Amino acid sequence: MTDTQHRPSWVIEQTLDASRFPCCGNANPFPFKCANCVHPMVLCCECDTLYTDMPNVSATTVPEWNEWQCSKCDAKLSPDFFNSAEHRMTFDDWSRGGLDTFLAIPPLSDLYSMLIASTNQLAGYLARNMQSTAKRHAYSVSNLANALVDCHPRAGDARRSSYRFSQSDTRKVALNAALEQTDPIVRAYAILGVSDSLSTQKPNGGEPIRI
């Protein structure tokens, strides 16, 4: 494997020190920013606690999810901020907010191991034609996959090729082809390409919205 960089393209939950967030005993912190004012926030996906004034972890709320706003500028936040590019925080954004002490960046190999394990599970759902479960699982792993795609030179091509193959042949044939990839990282992204074909939403350019 040839890596073009040694950390994800933006701050993701796997790069945070969960022990720094005291909301619950099983904190699962998700970092993001307001697209309007770049204000950093962290949501605990375990208990729905929102840290509104980082690095002050005592400033929290549990937002109303149907209609909620940035705690700094009151801009309305996208309901799909989990996978919205405009809400991603670069490591430079994070540093400018004085938040580096909240980072605990694992080795890139560990992050890829997480991705490989998750996509192997996804392949099982796809093989059993558990489409709804596969879509939910792919959605949960998409932020990690998208943040790591530029770290491996063949990952993006593998995902796109696998998606196109699944459109021209059966999903079963496309999945079998994905599983035949010898590079485990390429195989992980090829599996994601098959799961992408479950999406019926396609923005400009014809590529599916990444589920």
Side-chain angles (χ1 to χ4, degrees):
M1 181 183 76
T2 301
D3 295 333
T4 57
Q5 63 184 70
H6 298 285
R7 65 181 184 182
S9 297
W10 57 86
V11 183
I12 55 178
E13 56 266 45
Q14 291 86 358
T15 62
L16 295 187
D17 180 359
S19 69
R20 298 293 307 277
F21 299 90
C23 52
C24 61
N26 192 28
N28 182 16
F30 180 88
F32 66 102
K33 69 182 179 185
C34 171
N36 183 57
C37 70
V38 200
H39 179 60
M41 290 171 277
V42 173
L43 172 72
C44 176
C45 297
E46 181 67 24
C47 67
D48 287 347
T49 295
L50 179 66
Y51 293 86
T52 59
D53 191 26
M54 297 287 295
N56 177 13
V57 294
S58 64
T60 64
T61 187
V62 178
E64 292 288 339
W65 293 111
N66 291 331
E67 192 170 327
W68 61 305
Q69 298 171 309
C70 171
S71 57
K72 184 175 182 180
C73 72
D74 293 330
K76 198 167 184 178
L77 298 178
S78 166
D80 189 31
F81 66 88
F82 283 98
N83 283 295
S84 172
E86 65 182 359
H87 291 295
R88 295 169 182 166
M89 289 202 72
T90 67
F91 284 91
D92 287 342
D93 290 335
W94 193 257
S95 294
R96 281 192 290 270
L99 304 175
D100 283 348
T101 57
F102 290 87
L103 292 175
I105 305 174
L108 190 59
S109 58
D110 289 357
L111 293 172
Y112 272 127
S113 293
M114 296 177 199
L115 179 64
I116 291 165
S118 291
T119 52
N120 285 342
Q121 188 174 1
L122 174 61
Y125 297 141
L126 291 168
R128 297 193 295 276
N129 203 31
M130 299 169 62
Q131 295 191 19
S132 296
T133 303
K135 287 180 72 172
R136 288 194 299 270
H137 188 75
Y139 186 89
S140 71
V141 75
S142 62
N143 195 43
L144 174 61
N146 292 338
L148 292 179
V149 69
D150 291 333
C151 299
H152 193 288
R154 296 171 55 203
D157 287 343
R159 187 172 185 173
R160 287 187 291 270
S161 296
S162 185
Y163 166 71
R164 288 192 293 268
F165 187 19
S166 65
Q167 296 298 291
S168 62
D169 211 317
T170 67
R171 192 171 292 120
K172 181 179 180 180
V173 171
L175 179 60
N176 288 338
L179 293 173
E180 289 174 358
Q181 296 290 335
T182 56
D183 183 321
I185 298 172
V186 170
R187 183 167 61 247
Y189 281 93
I191 293 168
L192 284 167
V194 178
S195 71
D196 289 339
S197 70
L198 297 174
S199 174
T200 58
Q201 298 174 287
K202 298 179 183 179
N204 293 336
E207 289 290 330
I209 292 175
R210 298 305 185 192
I211 58 173

